[in-house]
Amino acid sequence: SIAEVEDTEEQLVTRAPIVTVMGHVDHGKTSLLDYIREENVIAGESGGITQHIGAYGVELKGGQKIAFLDTPGHEAFTAMRARGAQVTDLAIIVIAADDDVMPQTKEAISHAQAAGVPIVFAINKVDRDAANPEKIKESLANMNLLVEDWGGKIQSHDISAKTGLGVAELLEKVLLEAELLDLKANPDKQATGTVVEAFLDKGRGYVSTILVQAGTLKVGDYVLAGRTHGKVKAMQDERGHDVQAAGPSTPVSILGLDGAPQAGDKFHVFEDEREAKSIASRRTQLQREQSVRTQKT
Ligand code: GDP
């Protein structure tokens, strides 16, 4: 069943932070995500991350790991939150230093605050002549958001997603902030987590990117995700490499579900295939009844 058993202190192990990048359009979210992805290819790996699967994990030079939700814009964040999924531990909010604190910046800030997720500001595009990071920090101060340079507690770092200036230091600050959160999960149990995105691939069938949040997902596990279910036939990381097991804070794409679950759907592993199937069909039935009802009203 889906009932969760409380973990004991001894079972809990430190896990990597899960980070979302948000901010106003054109302020550099995609550029930052791309830069981090390209810079942090694990030593000895060639080719780097080839597939866009909606999330990726990086291992920094010091061996620390961070999982990024690679769905820039807060649409994904709000869609997941609307479905009750609290996935993000930390938000990087990107602000272009040659612009200002814009409406979508403010929205991103309120989303993170409403979710109780700490913010690290990335003051971007400092390579530009028109960049004025201090003006941005002043605007933030006027909104009662005091960054460290201004005597406050909120982490912020000046960066250029184009040249890479300051990005390593930004990630250090993200890790510092994550340490304060004392993030832990039990890897030694059946996996639970959240769907990030899913699509139908012509050759491979339904491909679902999921984020394992607790436990360890293994090839061969029987999974229920929203209204879909199936045995995990194969799992791949962001490099398209096959993996056999995925622990807490690991994003993987899985093959084997009978449909495309929705972003924000929870997933659970079942010992009993029949139970998973019956819950999936009950959910499908409920969904049908609900849509009939909305059509009538
Ligand atoms: P998004 O809409 O927030 O994802 O923004 P993008 O990453 O697509 O960036 C918008 C534009 O700004 C693109 O033309 C980028 O090349 C440019 N850009 C992003 N970051 C930087 C930066 O640090 N410096 C400079 N000069 N340009 C940047």
Side-chain angles (χ1 to χ4, degrees), residues 192-215:
T192 54
T194 304
V195 174
V196 176
E197 64 176 40
F199 62 94
L200 180 59
D201 181 84
K202 209 175 154 199
R204 296 181 297 166
Y206 291 101
V207 181
S208 313
T209 300
I210 57 165
L211 195 60
V212 179
Q213 290 172 278

Side-chain angles (χ1 to χ4, degrees), residues 28-88:
K29 299 177 292 292
T30 313
S31 304
L32 177 61
L33 279 161
D34 288 350
Y35 182 85
I36 294 170
R37 191 166 41 192
E38 281 153 27
E39 268 305 290
N40 293 281
V41 177
I42 292 168
E45 289 269 357
S46 59
I49 299 167
T50 49
Q51 298 181 312
H52 175 92
I53 63 166
Y56 64 82
V58 295
E59 190 171 331
L60 305 181
K61 307 257 147 45
Q64 314 96 318
K65 290 179 178 169
I66 304 177
F68 283 94
L69 288 178
D70 189 7
T71 41
H74 48 248
E75 294 81 6
F77 186 79
T78 37
M80 283 168 100
R81 287 244 308 144
R83 305 180 68 75
Q86 172 78 30
V87 179
T88 305

